[in-house]
Amino acid sequence: EAWSLLFNYHVCQPAELTAEEQGAVLDDASTYIRKKDDHEACLSFDLISASIDSYETWRVVNMYTDSELAAKRGYDHDTMTHLTAVHVIYDVSWDHTKVPTDEEGRCGMYLYMLPGEDGKWFVWDSMTAKVPELYEMVVDSLTADNQVVLQLNDSGYITEQDDYWRYRVEHYPE
């Protein structure tokens, strides 16, 4: 039974979110993660990025849709196909005399969001995530549409995309 809970993959597509739904899930995820700043032991907090991770969304939707765990928690097929993985990157500093945590500096987290009946999205689950090297680089400039351009090397640049793993190298003429 535990095996089927862990590896209950179905081939189903996550729900297509409208632009409005995408904006709402990102806003609600950002609001949730910014609550760290309200904690009395938080010395500083800065949200760097919040983006929908389509690959992680697909993986988790296919793992939990129609699973025993989802059924036990009262979530049907339609609800679970709306689960959306938001990858947040943030900087945080804690007063470790007040709170014991390893979370410090540049951090990453997946927030698995589900839509609520009130139209707000809520965190169904969360998991720490690796901070992509992309966010460890130095900002070189901004493009006209405010995309961050990070210096890669002497011959090219790397431009941040909505999803951190899908980036392109742009070579500029000398």
Side-chain angles (χ1 to χ4, degrees):
E1 185 176 334
W3 183 263
S4 67
L5 286 175
L6 292 173
F7 299 99
N8 191 15
Y9 276 85
H10 300 280
V11 178
C12 66
Q13 288 291 68
E16 294 270 340
L17 300 183
T18 65
E20 184 177 314
E21 289 172 319
Q22 290 177 22
V25 73
L26 289 172
D27 286 346
D28 292 340
S30 297
T31 298
Y32 174 86
I33 200 69
R34 282 190 175 108
K35 289 180 183 175
K36 288 180 180 288
D37 198 20
D38 296 336
H39 194 284
E40 67 179 45
C42 185
L43 301 174
S44 66
F45 179 85
D46 186 29
L47 179 61
I48 306 298
S49 171
S51 61
I52 294 173
D53 185 324
S54 58
Y55 293 113
E56 183 68 3
T57 295
W58 184 92
R59 185 187 74 80
V60 175
V61 163
N62 279 277
M63 186 164 54
Y64 288 111
T65 300
D66 301 324
S67 70
E68 291 176 39
L69 179 62
K72 285 179 184 177
R73 292 185 178 181
Y75 296 113
D76 62 14
H77 178 90
D78 186 57
T79 300
M80 291 309 295
T81 59
H82 281 82
L83 187 137
T84 303
V86 176
H87 190 210
V88 293
I89 307 292
Y90 54 95
D91 287 329
V92 67
S93 180
W94 296 99
D95 178 346
H96 294 284
T97 64
K98 293 181 179 178
V99 63
T101 180
D102 293 334
E103 184 183 55
E104 187 73 31
R106 183 71 41 100
C107 300
M109 182 177 287
Y110 280 117
L111 301 176
Y112 301 105
M113 310 289 291
L114 281 174
E117 293 178 13
D118 60 356
K120 294 278 190 188
W121 290 75
F122 66 94
V123 177
W124 181 69
D125 203 355
S126 64
M127 176 177 74
T128 58
K130 183 178 187 294
V131 176
E133 288 181 24
L134 172 73
Y135 290 95
E136 301 294 339
M137 296 177 157
V138 178
V139 173
D140 184 59
S141 63
L142 292 175
T143 64
D145 60 350
N146 287 327
Q147 289 217 10
V148 177
V149 178
L150 303 163
Q151 189 163 5
L152 180 63
N153 56 35
D154 293 336
S155 63
Y157 288 81
I158 190 167
T159 303
E160 179 184 6
Q161 300 296 301
D162 290 336
D163 300 318
Y164 67 86
W165 64 88
R166 290 185 352 202
Y167 53 80
R168 57 191 158 86
V169 175
E170 297 180 346
H171 294 280
Y172 297 102
E174 304 249 345

